[in-house]
PDB file of all heavy atoms in Angstrom:
ATOM      1  N   GLU A   1       7.608  -4.149  -9.889  1.00 97.00           N
ATOM      2  CA  GLU A   1       8.607  -3.061  -9.946  1.00 97.00           C
ATOM      3  C   GLU A   1       8.128  -1.873  -9.001  1.00 97.00           C
ATOM      4  O   GLU A   1       8.824  -1.319  -8.308  1.00 97.00           O
ATOM      5  CB  GLU A   1       8.867  -2.543 -11.318  1.00 97.00           C
ATOM      6  CG  GLU A   1       9.678  -3.452 -12.237  1.00 97.00           C
ATOM      7  CD  GLU A   1       9.780  -2.756 -13.595  1.00 97.00           C
ATOM      8  OE1 GLU A   1       9.569  -1.650 -13.731  1.00 97.00           O
ATOM      9  OE2 GLU A   1      10.186  -3.555 -14.505  1.00 97.00           O
ATOM     10  N   ILE A   2       6.855  -1.639  -9.060  1.00 98.00           N
ATOM     11  CA  ILE A   2       6.297  -0.509  -8.397  1.00 98.00           C
ATOM     12  C   ILE A   2       6.018  -0.822  -6.888  1.00 98.00           C
ATOM     13  O   ILE A   2       6.333   0.000  -5.947  1.00 98.00           O
ATOM     14  CB  ILE A   2       4.926  -0.149  -9.138  1.00 98.00           C
ATOM     15  CG1 ILE A   2       5.219   0.392 -10.538  1.00 98.00           C
ATOM     16  CG2 ILE A   2       4.236   1.031  -8.287  1.00 98.00           C
ATOM     17  CD1 ILE A   2       3.954   0.335 -11.375  1.00 98.00           C
ATOM     18  N   CYS A   3       5.476  -2.023  -6.702  1.00 98.00           N
ATOM     19  CA  CYS A   3       4.889  -2.364  -5.332  1.00 98.00           C
ATOM     20  C   CYS A   3       5.705  -3.236  -4.448  1.00 98.00           C
ATOM     21  O   CYS A   3       5.504  -3.301  -3.300  1.00 98.00           O
ATOM     22  CB  CYS A   3       3.473  -2.837  -5.459  1.00 98.00           C
ATOM     23  SG  CYS A   3       2.307  -1.791  -6.323  1.00 98.00           S
ATOM     24  N   GLY A   4       6.603  -4.061  -5.119  1.00 97.00           N
ATOM     25  CA  GLY A   4       7.247  -5.058  -4.284  1.00 97.00           C
ATOM     26  C   GLY A   4       6.868  -6.488  -4.715  1.00 97.00           C
ATOM     27  O   GLY A   4       6.022  -6.696  -5.614  1.00 97.00           O
ATOM     28  N   PRO A   5       7.462  -7.433  -3.999  1.00 97.00           N
ATOM     29  CA  PRO A   5       7.178  -8.883  -4.380  1.00 97.00           C
ATOM     30  C   PRO A   5       5.702  -9.307  -4.373  1.00 97.00           C
ATOM     31  O   PRO A   5       4.921  -8.815  -3.390  1.00 97.00           O
ATOM     32  CB  PRO A   5       7.911  -9.644  -3.343  1.00 97.00           C
ATOM     33  CG  PRO A   5       8.983  -8.771  -2.801  1.00 97.00           C
ATOM     34  CD  PRO A   5       8.303  -7.299  -2.880  1.00 97.00           C
ATOM     35  N   TYR A   6       5.290 -10.085  -5.255  1.00 98.00           N
ATOM     36  CA  TYR A   6       3.931 -10.651  -5.341  1.00 98.00           C
ATOM     37  C   TYR A   6       3.877 -11.853  -4.379  1.00 98.00           C
ATOM     38  O   TYR A   6       4.725 -12.780  -4.441  1.00 98.00           O
ATOM     39  CB  TYR A   6       3.645 -11.163  -6.829  1.00 98.00           C
ATOM     40  CG  TYR A   6       2.241 -11.657  -6.959  1.00 98.00           C
ATOM     41  CD1 TYR A   6       1.148 -10.871  -6.993  1.00 98.00           C
ATOM     42  CD2 TYR A   6       2.071 -13.042  -7.077  1.00 98.00           C
ATOM     43  CE1 TYR A   6      -0.120 -11.302  -7.231  1.00 98.00           C
ATOM     44  CE2 TYR A   6       0.802 -13.582  -7.283  1.00 98.00           C
ATOM     45  CZ  TYR A   6      -0.330 -12.701  -7.346  1.00 98.00           C
ATOM     46  OH  TYR A   6      -1.551 -13.253  -7.504  1.00 98.00           O
ATOM     47  N   VAL A   7       2.922 -11.850  -3.421  1.00 98.00           N
ATOM     48  CA  VAL A   7       2.979 -12.888  -2.364  1.00 98.00           C
ATOM     49  C   VAL A   7       1.876 -13.980  -2.469  1.00 98.00           C
ATOM     50  O   VAL A   7       1.827 -14.905  -1.659  1.00 98.00           O
ATOM     51  CB  VAL A   7       2.825 -12.230  -0.991  1.00 98.00           C
ATOM     52  CG1 VAL A   7       3.831 -11.129  -0.785  1.00 98.00           C
ATOM     53  CG2 VAL A   7       1.394 -11.567  -0.771  1.00 98.00           C
ATOM     54  N   TRP A   8       1.051 -13.932  -3.530  1.00 98.00           N
ATOM     55  CA  TRP A   8      -0.100 -14.812  -3.531  1.00 98.00           C
ATOM     56  C   TRP A   8       0.139 -16.108  -4.263  1.00 98.00           C
ATOM     57  O   TRP A   8      -0.801 -16.943  -4.326  1.00 98.00           O
ATOM     58  CB  TRP A   8      -1.271 -14.012  -4.231  1.00 98.00           C
ATOM     59  CG  TRP A   8      -1.563 -12.762  -3.442  1.00 98.00           C
ATOM     60  CD1 TRP A   8      -1.082 -11.548  -3.718  1.00 98.00           C
ATOM     61  CD2 TRP A   8      -2.461 -12.632  -2.251  1.00 98.00           C
ATOM     62  NE1 TRP A   8      -1.580 -10.622  -2.810  1.00 98.00           N
ATOM     63  CE2 TRP A   8      -2.449 -11.274  -1.949  1.00 98.00           C
ATOM     64  CE3 TRP A   8      -3.206 -13.542  -1.546  1.00 98.00           C
ATOM     65  CZ2 TRP A   8      -3.158 -10.787  -0.723  1.00 98.00           C
ATOM     66  CZ3 TRP A   8      -3.973 -13.040  -0.454  1.00 98.00           C
ATOM     67  CH2 TRP A   8      -3.886 -11.756  -0.103  1.00 98.00           C
ATOM     68  N   GLY A   9       1.265 -16.400  -4.826  1.00 96.00           N
ATOM     69  CA  GLY A   9       1.544 -17.666  -5.453  1.00 96.00           C
ATOM     70  C   GLY A   9       1.041 -17.874  -6.818  1.00 96.00           C
ATOM     71  O   GLY A   9       1.846 -18.044  -7.711  1.00 96.00           O
ATOM     72  N   ARG A  10      -0.277 -17.718  -7.026  1.00 97.00           N
ATOM     73  CA  ARG A  10      -0.848 -17.842  -8.387  1.00 97.00           C
ATOM     74  C   ARG A  10      -1.527 -16.522  -8.697  1.00 97.00           C
ATOM     75  O   ARG A  10      -2.009 -15.804  -7.884  1.00 97.00           O
ATOM     76  CB  ARG A  10      -1.980 -18.897  -8.359  1.00 97.00           C
ATOM     77  CG  ARG A  10      -1.526 -20.399  -8.263  1.00 97.00           C
ATOM     78  CD  ARG A  10      -0.799 -20.823  -9.556  1.00 97.00           C
ATOM     79  NE  ARG A  10      -1.563 -20.698 -10.672  1.00 97.00           N
ATOM     80  CZ  ARG A  10      -1.089 -20.981 -11.956  1.00 97.00           C
ATOM     81  NH1 ARG A  10       0.191 -21.311 -12.086  1.00 97.00           N
ATOM     82  NH2 ARG A  10      -1.867 -20.874 -12.992  1.00 97.00           N
ATOM     83  N   TYR A  11      -1.625 -16.254 -10.109  1.00 98.00           N
ATOM     84  CA  TYR A  11      -2.423 -15.153 -10.519  1.00 98.00           C
ATOM     85  C   TYR A  11      -3.178 -15.620 -11.710  1.00 98.00           C
ATOM     86  O   TYR A  11      -2.577 -15.575 -12.830  1.00 98.00           O
ATOM     87  CB  TYR A  11      -1.709 -13.860 -10.871  1.00 98.00           C
ATOM     88  CG  TYR A  11      -2.701 -12.753 -11.220  1.00 98.00           C
ATOM     89  CD1 TYR A  11      -3.316 -12.067 -10.292  1.00 98.00           C
ATOM     90  CD2 TYR A  11      -3.053 -12.616 -12.542  1.00 98.00           C
ATOM     91  CE1 TYR A  11      -4.336 -11.124 -10.479  1.00 98.00           C
ATOM     92  CE2 TYR A  11      -4.025 -11.599 -12.764  1.00 98.00           C
ATOM     93  CZ  TYR A  11      -4.628 -10.912 -11.768  1.00 98.00           C
ATOM     94  OH  TYR A  11      -5.644 -10.015 -12.126  1.00 98.00           O
ATOM     95  N   ASP A  12      -4.385 -16.188 -11.563  1.00 98.00           N
ATOM     96  CA  ASP A  12      -5.231 -16.624 -12.602  1.00 98.00           C
ATOM     97  C   ASP A  12      -6.344 -15.637 -12.945  1.00 98.00           C
ATOM     98  O   ASP A  12      -6.694 -14.944 -11.968  1.00 98.00           O
ATOM     99  CB  ASP A  12      -5.832 -18.055 -12.346  1.00 98.00           C
ATOM    100  CG  ASP A  12      -4.736 -19.104 -12.299  1.00 98.00           C
ATOM    101  OD1 ASP A  12      -3.610 -18.883 -12.774  1.00 98.00           O
ATOM    102  OD2 ASP A  12      -5.045 -20.270 -11.840  1.00 98.00           O
ATOM    103  N   LEU A  13      -6.896 -15.783 -14.103  1.00 98.00           N
ATOM    104  CA  LEU A  13      -8.016 -15.001 -14.524  1.00 98.00           C
ATOM    105  C   LEU A  13      -9.222 -15.944 -14.884  1.00 98.00           C
ATOM    106  O   LEU A  13      -8.991 -17.018 -15.414  1.00 98.00           O
ATOM    107  CB  LEU A  13      -7.682 -14.249 -15.760  1.00 98.00           C
ATOM    108  CG  LEU A  13      -6.651 -13.067 -15.572  1.00 98.00           C
ATOM    109  CD1 LEU A  13      -6.211 -12.581 -17.038  1.00 98.00           C
ATOM    110  CD2 LEU A  13      -7.262 -11.922 -14.843  1.00 98.00           C
ATOM    111  N   LEU A  14     -10.403 -15.489 -14.521  1.00 98.00           N
ATOM    112  CA  LEU A  14     -11.594 -16.179 -14.872  1.00 98.00           C
ATOM    113  C   LEU A  14     -12.487 -15.285 -15.613  1.00 98.00           C
ATOM    114  O   LEU A  14     -13.011 -14.280 -15.082  1.00 98.00           O
ATOM    115  CB  LEU A  14     -12.338 -16.726 -13.601  1.00 98.00           C
ATOM    116  CG  LEU A  14     -13.702 -17.312 -13.852  1.00 98.00           C
ATOM    117  CD1 LEU A  14     -13.546 -18.611 -14.616  1.00 98.00           C
ATOM    118  CD2 LEU A  14     -14.357 -17.625 -12.434  1.00 98.00           C
ATOM    119  N   VAL A  15     -12.781 -15.624 -16.864  1.00 97.00           N
ATOM    120  CA  VAL A  15     -13.795 -14.843 -17.694  1.00 97.00           C
ATOM    121  C   VAL A  15     -15.168 -15.239 -17.257  1.00 97.00           C
ATOM    122  O   VAL A  15     -15.588 -16.423 -17.433  1.00 97.00           O
ATOM    123  CB  VAL A  15     -13.520 -15.087 -19.139  1.00 97.00           C
ATOM    124  CG1 VAL A  15     -14.541 -14.199 -19.967  1.00 97.00           C
ATOM    125  CG2 VAL A  15     -12.126 -14.596 -19.548  1.00 97.00           C
ATOM    126  N   MET A  16     -15.941 -14.280 -16.816  1.00 94.00           N
ATOM    127  CA  MET A  16     -17.222 -14.576 -16.142  1.00 94.00           C
ATOM    128  C   MET A  16     -18.360 -14.588 -17.099  1.00 94.00           C
ATOM    129  O   MET A  16     -18.223 -14.086 -18.275  1.00 94.00           O
ATOM    130  CB  MET A  16     -17.503 -13.479 -15.148  1.00 94.00           C
ATOM    131  CG  MET A  16     -16.431 -13.431 -14.021  1.00 94.00           C
ATOM    132  SD  MET A  16     -16.318 -14.908 -13.044  1.00 94.00           S
ATOM    133  CE  MET A  16     -17.827 -14.708 -12.106  1.00 94.00           C
ATOM    134  N   PRO A  17     -19.467 -15.057 -16.689  1.00 91.00           N
ATOM    135  CA  PRO A  17     -20.703 -14.861 -17.534  1.00 91.00           C
ATOM    136  C   PRO A  17     -21.231 -13.434 -17.586  1.00 91.00           C
ATOM    137  O   PRO A  17     -20.682 -12.541 -16.836  1.00 91.00           O
ATOM    138  CB  PRO A  17     -21.825 -15.718 -16.769  1.00 91.00           C
ATOM    139  CG  PRO A  17     -20.957 -16.637 -15.931  1.00 91.00           C
ATOM    140  CD  PRO A  17     -19.791 -15.889 -15.534  1.00 91.00           C
ATOM    141  N   PRO A  18     -21.987 -13.052 -18.603  1.00 91.00           N
ATOM    142  CA  PRO A  18     -22.361 -11.655 -18.734  1.00 91.00           C
ATOM    143  C   PRO A  18     -23.131 -10.996 -17.534  1.00 91.00           C
ATOM    144  O   PRO A  18     -23.131  -9.802 -17.413  1.00 91.00           O
ATOM    145  CB  PRO A  18     -23.323 -11.715 -19.984  1.00 91.00           C
ATOM    146  CG  PRO A  18     -23.000 -12.872 -20.702  1.00 91.00           C
ATOM    147  CD  PRO A  18     -22.493 -13.860 -19.702  1.00 91.00           C
ATOM    148  N   SER A  19     -23.609 -11.774 -16.618  1.00 89.00           N
ATOM    149  CA  SER A  19     -24.343 -11.313 -15.525  1.00 89.00           C
ATOM    150  C   SER A  19     -23.408 -10.799 -14.421  1.00 89.00           C
ATOM    151  O   SER A  19     -23.859 -10.185 -13.438  1.00 89.00           O
ATOM    152  CB  SER A  19     -25.303 -12.347 -14.890  1.00 89.00           C
ATOM    153  OG  SER A  19     -24.620 -13.506 -14.598  1.00 89.00           O
ATOM    154  N   PHE A  20     -22.131 -11.077 -14.585  1.00 90.00           N
ATOM    155  CA  PHE A  20     -21.128 -10.510 -13.565  1.00 90.00           C
ATOM    156  C   PHE A  20     -21.232  -8.950 -13.529  1.00 90.00           C
ATOM    157  O   PHE A  20     -21.137  -8.328 -14.515  1.00 90.00           O
ATOM    158  CB  PHE A  20     -19.736 -10.926 -13.908  1.00 90.00           C
ATOM    159  CG  PHE A  20     -18.629 -10.598 -12.907  1.00 90.00           C
ATOM    160  CD1 PHE A  20     -18.808 -10.942 -11.650  1.00 90.00           C
ATOM    161  CD2 PHE A  20     -17.579  -9.698 -13.250  1.00 90.00           C
ATOM    162  CE1 PHE A  20     -17.787 -10.534 -10.666  1.00 90.00           C
ATOM    163  CE2 PHE A  20     -16.662  -9.310 -12.375  1.00 90.00           C
ATOM    164  CZ  PHE A  20     -16.749  -9.765 -11.060  1.00 90.00           C
ATOM    165  N   PRO A  21     -21.496  -8.322 -12.395  1.00 90.00           N
ATOM    166  CA  PRO A  21     -21.837  -6.930 -12.398  1.00 90.00           C
ATOM    167  C   PRO A  21     -20.626  -5.925 -12.352  1.00 90.00           C
ATOM    168  O   PRO A  21     -20.959  -4.710 -12.492  1.00 90.00           O
ATOM    169  CB  PRO A  21     -22.559  -6.789 -11.020  1.00 90.00           C
ATOM    170  CG  PRO A  21     -21.897  -7.819 -10.161  1.00 90.00           C
ATOM    171  CD  PRO A  21     -21.585  -8.958 -10.995  1.00 90.00           C
ATOM    172  N   PHE A  22     -19.417  -6.353 -12.350  1.00 90.00           N
ATOM    173  CA  PHE A  22     -18.314  -5.402 -12.280  1.00 90.00           C
ATOM    174  C   PHE A  22     -17.336  -5.727 -13.494  1.00 90.00           C
ATOM    175  O   PHE A  22     -17.391  -6.722 -14.115  1.00 90.00           O
ATOM    176  CB  PHE A  22     -17.522  -5.537 -10.971  1.00 90.00           C
ATOM    177  CG  PHE A  22     -18.396  -5.275  -9.753  1.00 90.00           C
ATOM    178  CD1 PHE A  22     -18.777  -6.243  -9.011  1.00 90.00           C
ATOM    179  CD2 PHE A  22     -18.720  -4.009  -9.474  1.00 90.00           C
ATOM    180  CE1 PHE A  22     -19.653  -5.999  -7.796  1.00 90.00           C
ATOM    181  CE2 PHE A  22     -19.517  -3.679  -8.336  1.00 90.00           C
ATOM    182  CZ  PHE A  22     -19.925  -4.704  -7.590  1.00 90.00           C
ATOM    183  N   GLY A  23     -16.459  -4.738 -13.697  1.00 92.00           N
ATOM    184  CA  GLY A  23     -15.394  -4.896 -14.735  1.00 92.00           C
ATOM    185  C   GLY A  23     -14.473  -6.063 -14.296  1.00 92.00           C
ATOM    186  O   GLY A  23     -14.106  -6.849 -15.150  1.00 92.00           O
ATOM    187  N   GLY A  24     -14.102  -6.098 -13.022  1.00 95.00           N
ATOM    188  CA  GLY A  24     -13.301  -7.189 -12.487  1.00 95.00           C
ATOM    189  C   GLY A  24     -13.430  -7.278 -11.076  1.00 95.00           C
ATOM    190  O   GLY A  24     -13.963  -6.333 -10.359  1.00 95.00           O
ATOM    191  N   MET A  25     -13.072  -8.300 -10.405  1.00 97.00           N
ATOM    192  CA  MET A  25     -13.103  -8.568  -8.966  1.00 97.00           C
ATOM    193  C   MET A  25     -11.727  -9.181  -8.583  1.00 97.00           C
ATOM    194  O   MET A  25     -11.489 -10.324  -9.090  1.00 97.00           O
ATOM    195  CB  MET A  25     -14.229  -9.290  -8.481  1.00 97.00           C
ATOM    196  CG  MET A  25     -14.243  -9.427  -6.981  1.00 97.00           C
ATOM    197  SD  MET A  25     -14.449  -7.864  -6.121  1.00 97.00           S
ATOM    198  CE  MET A  25     -13.556  -8.318  -4.596  1.00 97.00           C
ATOM    199  N   GLU A  26     -10.986  -8.590  -7.669  1.00 98.00           N
ATOM    200  CA  GLU A  26      -9.650  -9.021  -7.395  1.00 98.00           C
ATOM    201  C   GLU A  26      -9.481 -10.168  -6.438  1.00 98.00           C
ATOM    202  O   GLU A  26      -8.621 -10.130  -5.618  1.00 98.00           O
ATOM    203  CB  GLU A  26      -8.917  -7.768  -6.808  1.00 98.00           C
ATOM    204  CG  GLU A  26      -9.440  -7.196  -5.521  1.00 98.00           C
ATOM    205  CD  GLU A  26     -10.574  -6.159  -5.587  1.00 98.00           C
ATOM    206  OE1 GLU A  26     -11.257  -6.129  -6.662  1.00 98.00           O
ATOM    207  OE2 GLU A  26     -10.876  -5.517  -4.629  1.00 98.00           O
ATOM    208  N   ASN A  27     -10.388 -11.175  -6.549  1.00 98.00           N
ATOM    209  CA  ASN A  27     -10.272 -12.307  -5.670  1.00 98.00           C
ATOM    210  C   ASN A  27      -8.860 -12.860  -5.682  1.00 98.00           C
ATOM    211  O   ASN A  27      -8.359 -13.134  -6.826  1.00 98.00           O
ATOM    212  CB  ASN A  27     -11.236 -13.417  -6.059  1.00 98.00           C
ATOM    213  CG  ASN A  27     -12.697 -12.784  -6.067  1.00 98.00           C
ATOM    214  OD1 ASN A  27     -13.137 -12.258  -5.093  1.00 98.00           O
ATOM    215  ND2 ASN A  27     -13.371 -13.046  -7.168  1.00 98.00           N
ATOM    216  N   PRO A  28      -8.133 -13.102  -4.572  1.00 98.00           N
ATOM    217  CA  PRO A  28      -6.799 -13.564  -4.610  1.00 98.00           C
ATOM    218  C   PRO A  28      -6.666 -14.869  -5.331  1.00 98.00           C
ATOM    219  O   PRO A  28      -7.416 -15.766  -5.261  1.00 98.00           O
ATOM    220  CB  PRO A  28      -6.500 -13.650  -3.066  1.00 98.00           C
ATOM    221  CG  PRO A  28      -7.461 -12.817  -2.401  1.00 98.00           C
ATOM    222  CD  PRO A  28      -8.652 -12.831  -3.198  1.00 98.00           C
ATOM    223  N   CYS A  29      -5.583 -14.923  -6.077  1.00 98.00           N
ATOM    224  CA  CYS A  29      -5.227 -16.073  -6.975  1.00 98.00           C
ATOM    225  C   CYS A  29      -6.189 -16.320  -8.062  1.00 98.00           C
ATOM    226  O   CYS A  29      -5.835 -17.129  -8.989  1.00 98.00           O
ATOM    227  CB  CYS A  29      -5.230 -17.356  -6.037  1.00 98.00           C
ATOM    228  SG  CYS A  29      -4.259 -17.254  -4.571  1.00 98.00           S
ATOM    229  N   LEU A  30      -7.328 -15.704  -8.186  1.00 98.00           N
ATOM    230  CA  LEU A  30      -8.360 -15.917  -9.121  1.00 98.00           C
ATOM    231  C   LEU A  30      -9.127 -14.666  -9.459  1.00 98.00           C
ATOM    232  O   LEU A  30     -10.259 -14.522  -8.935  1.00 98.00           O
ATOM    233  CB  LEU A  30      -9.232 -17.012  -8.806  1.00 98.00           C
ATOM    234  CG  LEU A  30     -10.218 -17.484  -9.904  1.00 98.00           C
ATOM    235  CD1 LEU A  30      -9.459 -18.111 -11.027  1.00 98.00           C
ATOM    236  CD2 LEU A  30     -11.269 -18.520  -9.300  1.00 98.00           C
ATOM    237  N   THR A  31      -8.579 -13.749 -10.223  1.00 98.00           N
ATOM    238  CA  THR A  31      -9.374 -12.506 -10.603  1.00 98.00           C
ATOM    239  C   THR A  31     -10.588 -12.839 -11.497  1.00 98.00           C
ATOM    240  O   THR A  31     -10.394 -13.569 -12.495  1.00 98.00           O
ATOM    241  CB  THR A  31      -8.422 -11.503 -11.274  1.00 98.00           C
ATOM    242  OG1 THR A  31      -7.615 -10.912 -10.285  1.00 98.00           O
ATOM    243  CG2 THR A  31      -9.152 -10.494 -11.986  1.00 98.00           C
ATOM    244  N   PHE A  32     -11.703 -12.383 -11.170  1.00 98.00           N
ATOM    245  CA  PHE A  32     -12.895 -12.438 -12.075  1.00 98.00           C
ATOM    246  C   PHE A  32     -12.852 -11.260 -12.949  1.00 98.00           C
ATOM    247  O   PHE A  32     -12.665 -10.145 -12.515  1.00 98.00           O
ATOM    248  CB  PHE A  32     -14.114 -12.426 -11.210  1.00 98.00           C
ATOM    249  CG  PHE A  32     -14.397 -13.672 -10.356  1.00 98.00           C
ATOM    250  CD1 PHE A  32     -13.600 -14.654 -10.315  1.00 98.00           C
ATOM    251  CD2 PHE A  32     -15.632 -13.737  -9.646  1.00 98.00           C
ATOM    252  CE1 PHE A  32     -13.821 -15.755  -9.483  1.00 98.00           C
ATOM    253  CE2 PHE A  32     -15.966 -14.854  -8.869  1.00 98.00           C
ATOM    254  CZ  PHE A  32     -14.977 -15.848  -8.709  1.00 98.00           C
ATOM    255  N   VAL A  33     -13.145 -11.439 -14.269  1.00 97.00           N
ATOM    256  CA  VAL A  33     -13.272 -10.397 -15.224  1.00 97.00           C
ATOM    257  C   VAL A  33     -14.468 -10.449 -16.057  1.00 97.00           C
ATOM    258  O   VAL A  33     -14.915 -11.555 -16.352  1.00 97.00           O
ATOM    259  CB  VAL A  33     -12.079 -10.211 -16.175  1.00 97.00           C
ATOM    260  CG1 VAL A  33     -10.857  -9.753 -15.341  1.00 97.00           C
ATOM    261  CG2 VAL A  33     -11.696 -11.442 -16.874  1.00 97.00           C
ATOM    262  N   THR A  34     -15.080  -9.363 -16.395  1.00 95.00           N
ATOM    263  CA  THR A  34     -16.326  -9.368 -17.255  1.00 95.00           C
ATOM    264  C   THR A  34     -15.968  -9.813 -18.701  1.00 95.00           C
ATOM    265  O   THR A  34     -14.955  -9.376 -19.253  1.00 95.00           O
ATOM    266  CB  THR A  34     -16.891  -7.988 -17.285  1.00 95.00           C
ATOM    267  OG1 THR A  34     -17.953  -7.923 -18.231  1.00 95.00           O
ATOM    268  CG2 THR A  34     -15.955  -6.998 -17.534  1.00 95.00           C
ATOM    269  N   PRO A  35     -16.858 -10.460 -19.360  1.00 96.00           N
ATOM    270  CA  PRO A  35     -16.682 -10.743 -20.719  1.00 96.00           C
ATOM    271  C   PRO A  35     -16.724  -9.504 -21.678  1.00 96.00           C
ATOM    272  O   PRO A  35     -16.342  -9.595 -22.811  1.00 96.00           O
ATOM    273  CB  PRO A  35     -17.735 -11.775 -21.158  1.00 96.00           C
ATOM    274  CG  PRO A  35     -18.826 -11.491 -20.137  1.00 96.00           C
ATOM    275  CD  PRO A  35     -18.071 -11.121 -18.892  1.00 96.00           C
ATOM    276  N   THR A  36     -17.254  -8.348 -21.151  1.00 96.00           N
ATOM    277  CA  THR A  36     -17.200  -7.140 -21.886  1.00 96.00           C
ATOM    278  C   THR A  36     -15.858  -6.653 -22.193  1.00 96.00           C
ATOM    279  O   THR A  36     -15.659  -5.722 -22.944  1.00 96.00           O
ATOM    280  CB  THR A  36     -18.059  -6.088 -21.271  1.00 96.00           C
ATOM    281  OG1 THR A  36     -17.502  -5.701 -19.960  1.00 96.00           O
ATOM    282  CG2 THR A  36     -19.450  -6.522 -21.011  1.00 96.00           C
ATOM    283  N   LEU A  37     -14.832  -7.238 -21.573  1.00 97.00           N
ATOM    284  CA  LEU A  37     -13.429  -6.785 -21.890  1.00 97.00           C
ATOM    285  C   LEU A  37     -12.854  -7.455 -23.197  1.00 97.00           C
ATOM    286  O   LEU A  37     -11.756  -7.120 -23.630  1.00 97.00           O
ATOM    287  CB  LEU A  37     -12.445  -7.228 -20.708  1.00 97.00           C
ATOM    288  CG  LEU A  37     -12.806  -6.661 -19.340  1.00 97.00           C
ATOM    289  CD1 LEU A  37     -11.702  -7.022 -18.285  1.00 97.00           C
ATOM    290  CD2 LEU A  37     -12.893  -5.113 -19.446  1.00 97.00           C
ATOM    291  N   LEU A  38     -13.584  -8.516 -23.700  1.00 97.00           N
ATOM    292  CA  LEU A  38     -13.165  -9.128 -24.871  1.00 97.00           C
ATOM    293  C   LEU A  38     -13.409  -8.255 -26.122  1.00 97.00           C
ATOM    294  O   LEU A  38     -14.344  -8.576 -26.938  1.00 97.00           O
ATOM    295  CB  LEU A  38     -13.868 -10.514 -24.969  1.00 97.00           C
ATOM    296  CG  LEU A  38     -13.633 -11.494 -23.822  1.00 97.00           C
ATOM    297  CD1 LEU A  38     -14.440 -12.772 -23.957  1.00 97.00           C
ATOM    298  CD2 LEU A  38     -12.091 -11.815 -23.691  1.00 97.00           C
ATOM    299  N   ALA A  39     -12.560  -7.301 -26.328  1.00 95.00           N
ATOM    300  CA  ALA A  39     -12.763  -6.333 -27.373  1.00 95.00           C
ATOM    301  C   ALA A  39     -12.088  -6.756 -28.702  1.00 95.00           C
ATOM    302  O   ALA A  39     -12.377  -6.181 -29.788  1.00 95.00           O
ATOM    303  CB  ALA A  39     -12.231  -4.955 -26.963  1.00 95.00           C
ATOM    304  N   GLY A  40     -11.219  -7.803 -28.641  1.00 94.00           N
ATOM    305  CA  GLY A  40     -10.578  -8.289 -29.860  1.00 94.00           C
ATOM    306  C   GLY A  40      -9.294  -7.605 -30.199  1.00 94.00           C
ATOM    307  O   GLY A  40      -8.601  -8.023 -31.113  1.00 94.00           O
ATOM    308  N   ASP A  41      -8.971  -6.522 -29.446  1.00 94.00           N
ATOM    309  CA  ASP A  41      -7.740  -5.873 -29.810  1.00 94.00           C
ATOM    310  C   ASP A  41      -6.941  -5.445 -28.485  1.00 94.00           C
ATOM    311  O   ASP A  41      -6.003  -4.535 -28.558  1.00 94.00           O
ATOM    312  CB  ASP A  41      -8.003  -4.479 -30.643  1.00 94.00           C
ATOM    313  CG  ASP A  41      -8.942  -3.502 -29.790  1.00 94.00           C
ATOM    314  OD1 ASP A  41      -9.344  -3.883 -28.665  1.00 94.00           O
ATOM    315  OD2 ASP A  41      -9.282  -2.485 -30.354  1.00 94.00           O
ATOM    316  N   LYS A  42      -7.273  -5.997 -27.345  1.00 94.00           N
ATOM    317  CA  LYS A  42      -6.628  -5.808 -26.119  1.00 94.00           C
ATOM    318  C   LYS A  42      -6.825  -4.415 -25.548  1.00 94.00           C
ATOM    319  O   LYS A  42      -6.128  -3.958 -24.600  1.00 94.00           O
ATOM    320  CB  LYS A  42      -5.145  -6.176 -26.169  1.00 94.00           C
ATOM    321  CG  LYS A  42      -4.872  -7.570 -26.682  1.00 94.00           C
ATOM    322  CD  LYS A  42      -3.412  -7.957 -26.694  1.00 94.00           C
ATOM    323  CE  LYS A  42      -3.163  -9.228 -27.275  1.00 94.00           C
ATOM    324  NZ  LYS A  42      -1.684  -9.615 -27.424  1.00 94.00           N
ATOM    325  N   SER A  43      -7.659  -3.629 -26.161  1.00 93.00           N
ATOM    326  CA  SER A  43      -7.821  -2.151 -25.827  1.00 93.00           C
ATOM    327  C   SER A  43      -8.372  -2.003 -24.444  1.00 93.00           C
ATOM    328  O   SER A  43      -8.227  -0.914 -23.893  1.00 93.00           O
ATOM    329  CB  SER A  43      -8.640  -1.444 -26.869  1.00 93.00           C
ATOM    330  OG  SER A  43     -10.014  -2.095 -26.995  1.00 93.00           O
ATOM    331  N   LEU A  44      -9.059  -3.023 -23.865  1.00 95.00           N
ATOM    332  CA  LEU A  44      -9.688  -2.858 -22.509  1.00 95.00           C
ATOM    333  C   LEU A  44      -8.926  -3.739 -21.542  1.00 95.00           C
ATOM    334  O   LEU A  44      -9.340  -3.826 -20.373  1.00 95.00           O
ATOM    335  CB  LEU A  44     -11.154  -3.340 -22.643  1.00 95.00           C
ATOM    336  CG  LEU A  44     -11.991  -2.459 -23.651  1.00 95.00           C
ATOM    337  CD1 LEU A  44     -13.495  -3.037 -23.545  1.00 95.00           C
ATOM    338  CD2 LEU A  44     -11.936  -0.986 -23.319  1.00 95.00           C
TER     339      LEU A  44
END
């Protein structure tokens, strides 16, 4: 709604091992996310 059509085909998430150094990494089609986001209440 804000930016226009999504052009990348897929949007998957990969929950990384704890050694991943960032909160997330926007790799196209496959976003990497830190397991520190698993708060149990979707708050992060």
Side-chain angles (χ1 to χ4, degrees):
E1 286 180 13
I2 298 160
C3 300
Y6 181 79
V7 304
W8 301 92
R10 291 289 303 173
Y11 185 81
D12 289 352
L13 293 167
L14 172 66
V15 179
M16 301 296 287
S19 53
F20 183 61
F22 299 107
M25 181 61 211
E26 63 273 16
N27 302 309
C29 308
L30 185 68
T31 282
F32 290 5
V33 291
T34 171
T36 63
L37 301 184
L38 299 175
D41 60 0
K42 305 180 186 178
S43 58
L44 303 179

